[in-house]
Amino acid sequence: KAGVTQTPRYLIKTRGQQVTLSCSPISGHRSVSWYQQTPGQGLQFLFEYFSETQRNKGNFPGRFSGRQFSNSRSEMNVSTLELGDSALYLCASSSAGGGTGELFFGEGSRLTVL
Amino acid sequence: DQQVKQNSPSLSVQEGRISILNCDYTNSMFDYFLWYKKYPAEGPTFLISISSIKDKNEDGRFTVFLNKSAKHLSLHIVPSQPGDSAVYFCAAKRYNDMRFGAGTRLTVKP
């Protein structure tokens, strides 16, 4: 069974640009969550999608947005990039929200904003 | 909002000794608590979990303890091995909402 796939793995952007990151969940998983990892801040929750609907959203500005497609693949977009957006963006999928709801993570997309 | 806190950014132990990683939370509505392990250049991987109705869960060398009255959980690794060196994240879940701590970097010295 293929794991969670994130693309691109690395990217460099400049301030003011926008970026789109992609995530393909494990086959059969309908829930996709996005997290931002920065040194000292751990994993900050961005949002979670289930069956193309955003169910939860973290405390990030509106520049951060996402969507989920009918095949459960998800994208997140960051507009008007700031230096502070430099981080590792992790996508995770799970089969359902109940029980332990164990998340399976991808390797992440490392964004550098210059 | 830091609902899950790991106050020790790093921990160093000798091989063969016990490693104890701590985590505190503020929301008493969390129903599951999990520990994840992360190596550099990889995504976090699930290690062990505990339901809020339990106070202990054991899996091989790993044991998680939950103290609900103190809103505190800990992960014990016995005996610690050099391959355990990684960043450990504590997570707490309510329904489909999972929150993570800042992580503790564990270094196990040979």
Side-chain angles (χ1 to χ4, degrees):
Chain A
K1 203 175 194 180
V4 177
T5 304
Q6 291 187 245
T7 56
R9 290 290 314 278
Y10 303 91
L11 65 166
I12 299 173
K13 293 284 187 177
T14 57
R15 279 181 298 175
Q17 286 186 310
Q18 68 139 18
V19 66
T20 299
L21 308 177
S22 179
C23 172
S24 293
I26 290 173
S27 177
H29 285 188
R30 296 167 64 188
S31 171
V32 174
S33 301
W34 288 89
Y35 292 85
Q36 180 196 64
Q37 184 189 5
T38 54
Q41 293 295 314
L43 300 175
Q44 300 289 309
F45 174 70
L46 281 154
F47 25 67
E48 186 255 353
Y49 288 88
F50 183 85
S51 293
E52 302 179 66
T53 300
Q54 186 183 90
R55 293 198 297 190
N56 274 306
K57 189 176 189 303
N59 297 324
F60 278 81
R63 300 185 298 107
F64 292 80
S65 62
R67 60 178 175 169
Q68 187 180 34
F69 302 95
S70 58
N71 61 358
S72 294
R73 191 177 70 85
S74 177
E75 288 182 348
M76 68 162 282
N77 183 276
V78 188
S79 62
T80 319
L81 284 166
E82 301 176 359
L83 295 178
D85 297 332
S86 295
L88 180 68
Y89 291 87
L90 289 160
C91 166
S93 73
S94 68
S95 56
T100 60
E102 178 189 340
L103 296 179
F104 295 83
F105 284 87
E107 294 181 317
S109 292
R110 182 165 294 283
L111 170 65
T112 301
V113 182
L114 302 176
Chain B
D1 60 343
Q2 290 281 10
Q3 297 186 48
V4 180
K5 296 181 183 179
Q6 293 176 258
N7 293 319
S8 298
S10 63
L11 173 68
S12 181
V13 300
Q14 208 65 38
E15 180 179 5
R17 299 289 188 99
I18 183 172
S19 294
I20 300 177
L21 296 95
N22 294 302
C23 178
D24 297 296
Y25 62 95
T26 57
N27 189 343
S28 58
M29 301 302 289
F30 288 130
D31 50 14
Y32 278 94
F33 301 89
L34 304 89
W35 286 92
Y36 282 78
K37 176 177 172 181
K38 185 180 185 301
Y39 293 117
E42 295 182 9
T45 55
F46 170 75
L47 191 57
I48 190 170
S49 66
I50 186 169
S51 164
S52 60
I53 62 173
K54 301 270 179 82
D55 54 19
K56 177 182 176 182
N57 187 28
E58 191 172 354
D59 183 2
R61 297 186 297 112
F62 302 91
T63 303
V64 56
F65 295 92
L66 176 62
N67 183 334
K68 287 186 67 177
S69 60
K71 294 191 177 69
H72 177 84
L73 67 155
S74 60
L75 174 68
H76 293 209
I77 306 174
V78 183
S80 301
Q81 300 173 353
D84 296 329
S85 297
V87 176
Y88 289 78
F89 290 99
C90 167
K93 176 184 168 295
R94 179 170 186 257
Y95 300 120
N96 51 289
D97 187 350
M98 190 174 300
R99 304 293 170 128
F100 287 78
T104 297
R105 180 177 300 280
L106 172 66
T107 302
V108 180
K109 298 180 178 178

